[in-house]
């Protein structure tokens, strides 16, 4: 019976570092997109005029404008930040904290008990 | 045994895409969690990275398909002004109105956070590639965003299932 020892584990070689700007831009844009969704949802409750303006598709109602606006805003911000931060390193910790805050605000703004506080009676 | 058009699209929206989303999330979460330089060999990284990239990309694509079909195909039937639409039936019954005023209202908005967050995760995973194994802070951030994307979809999915039970879209 012959025994063969397991080959030593090969550790992943250090891959070339990449500038974190493009990643930070993607995360921050997602945070801003979330905030826009929460903001538009709350604003539509607070103002019948805004609610009407956000009715882009009649069958869907204002949800079409709230979500459409958020998606457009998110993409525009992503393109702009991606351009500005291309090939650059930014303070990732700070960007991540701001992103978390913005995503949190997005969740809050889309929560009915919160946005109905602003409903025009 | 047959499904109406509305039932068919509701099943596609909720069960079909929902199941794929859940699978992609589970795979993506495990992949992100274990993608650490100290845990993977070169061979291991080569084997798991494509799966992680595909998993996060599929999750993002499925999330987009789900919200687009939900909003533009199923939701108009739900909110139809006729007295027999699910929304009208729920609002007409004080015991069920909260399903719309809280459940549907939350679901229809929060669901859209899922594809936005999932897309950001997929992009960053693909951008970093193998380097992600050495970027602990970025990986942790992605894990949090990934879970938040899932949480948004889970709220929407749970309320969708309940709503379809209480007031089916027929």
């Amino acid at each position: 019976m012959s025994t063969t020892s397991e080959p030593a584990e090969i550790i992943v070689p250090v891959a070339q570092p990449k500038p974190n700007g493009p990643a930070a831009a993607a995360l921050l844009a997602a945070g801003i997109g979330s905030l826009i969704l929460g903001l538009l949802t709350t604003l539509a409750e607070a103002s019948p005029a805004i609610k009407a303006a956000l009715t882009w598709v009649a069958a869907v109602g204002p949800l079409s404008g709230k979500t459409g606006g958020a998606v457009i805003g998110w993409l525009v911000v992503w393109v702009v930040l991606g351009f500005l931060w291309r090939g650059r390193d930014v303070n990732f910790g700070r960007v991540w904290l701001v992103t978390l805050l913005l995503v949190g605000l997005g969740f809050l703004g889309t929560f009915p008990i919160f946005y109905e506080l602003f409903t025009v009676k | 045994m047959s499904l109406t058009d509305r039932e068919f699209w509701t099943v596609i929206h909720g069960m079909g895409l929902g199941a794929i989303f859940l699978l992609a999330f589970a795979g993506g979460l495990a992949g992100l969690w274990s993608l650490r330089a100290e845990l993977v060999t070169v061979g291991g990284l080569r084997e798991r990275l494509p799966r992680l990239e595909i998993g996060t990309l599929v999750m993002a694509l499925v999330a987009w398909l789900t919200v687009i079909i939900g909003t533009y195909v199923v939701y108009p039937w739900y909110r139809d002004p006729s007295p027999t639409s699910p929304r009208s039936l729920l609002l007409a019954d004080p015991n069920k109105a909260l399903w719309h005023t809280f459940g549907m209202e939350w679901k229809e908005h929060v669901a859209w956070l899922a594809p936005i967050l999932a897309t950001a995760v997929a992009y960053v995973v693909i951008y970093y590639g193998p380097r992600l194994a050495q970027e602990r802070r970025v990986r942790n951030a992605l894990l949090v965003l990934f879970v938040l994307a899932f949480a948004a979809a889970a709220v929407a999915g749970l309320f969708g299932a309940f709503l379809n039970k209480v007031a089916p879209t027929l």
Side-chain angles (χ1 to χ4, degrees), chain B residues 79-167:
Chain B
R79 73 186 295 271
D80 190 277
S82 77
T84 55
S85 71
R87 180 179 183 271
S88 302
L89 292 173
L90 291 175
L91 290 176
D93 184 346
N95 292 321
K96 294 180 179 172
L98 201 59
W99 282 110
H100 172 75
T101 57
F102 180 75
M104 188 63 194
E105 290 282 347
W106 192 14
K107 163 191 164 58
E108 73 192 37
H109 294 108
V110 78
W112 279 82
L113 294 176
I116 292 175
L117 301 179
T119 303
V121 172
Y123 171 80
V124 177
V125 165
I126 292 166
Y127 171 74
Y128 272 109
R131 176 72 195 178
L132 192 57
Q134 283 144 338
E135 298 284 349
R136 187 180 54 82
R137 267 196 327 178
V138 176
R139 217 173 45 244
N140 287 343
L142 294 186
L143 271 169
V144 172
L145 271 199
F146 206 55
V147 169
L148 287 174
F150 177 75
V155 168
L158 266 178
F159 275 109
F162 285 131
L163 280 156
N164 204 44
K165 192 82 180 165
V166 180

Side-chain angles (χ1 to χ4, degrees), chain A residues 2 4 13 18 20 35-36 38 42 45 48 51 57 60 62 68 73 79 81 83 86 90 97 100-101 105 116 118:
Chain A
S2 66
T4 54
K18 286 191 164 189
N20 66 18
L35 174 72
I36 296 173
T42 304
E45 286 298 307
K51 188 178 236 175
V57 177
V60 177
V79 168
L81 285 177
F83 180 75
R86 189 178 49 180
V90 297
L97 270 182
L100 260 188
L101 177 71
L105 289 172
E116 283 167 4
F118 303 90

Side-chain angles (χ1 to χ4, degrees), chain A residues 13-68:
Chain A
V14 177
Q16 283 297 309
K18 286 191 164 189
N20 66 18
L27 298 190
L28 186 57
I32 293 172
S34 304
L35 174 72
I36 296 173
L37 181 62
L39 203 60
L40 290 179
T41 303
T42 304
L43 287 174
E45 286 298 307
S47 160
I50 292 176
K51 188 178 236 175
L54 289 171
T55 304
W56 295 358
V57 177
V60 177
L63 184 63
S64 54
K66 295 174 203 172
T67 56

